[in-house]
Amino acid sequence: MLRAYGLEEPDLTDAVRLLRSTFHGYCALESTGGFGASRDVRVSWERAVDALHVALTRWPGEG
């Protein structure tokens, strides 16, 4: 799926780590009630996914 962003190694590994840590962290926080603000968690998640898309689209090359 990430190849659609044109990422190759080592950027691909870095992108996978970014996604995995974001997904894992979000799920861990949500499951333990870590999001105390009144804003709908689903809306925040959708914005996070949009932000990840922007990051992957504009992924900086090494050097």
Side-chain angles (χ1 to χ4, degrees), residues 21-35:
S21 61
T22 301
F23 297 162
H24 177 77
Y26 203 95
C27 291
L29 287 167
E30 186 176 7
S31 69
T32 60
F35 295 121

Side-chain angles (χ1 to χ4, degrees), residues 3-54:
R3 295 217 189 267
Y5 289 101
L7 298 175
E8 301 292 333
E9 292 298 343
D11 294 328
L12 187 58
T13 294
D14 295 338
V16 168
R17 288 176 178 171
L18 170 66
L19 293 173
R20 182 177 183 202
S21 61
T22 301
F23 297 162
H24 177 77
Y26 203 95
C27 291
L29 287 167
E30 186 176 7
S31 69
T32 60
F35 295 121
S38 61
R39 183 164 173 80
D40 186 340
V41 177
R42 289 173 294 174
V43 174
S44 296
W45 174 248
E46 290 170 6
R47 293 193 44 106
V49 170
D50 289 344
L52 288 170
H53 171 66
V54 170

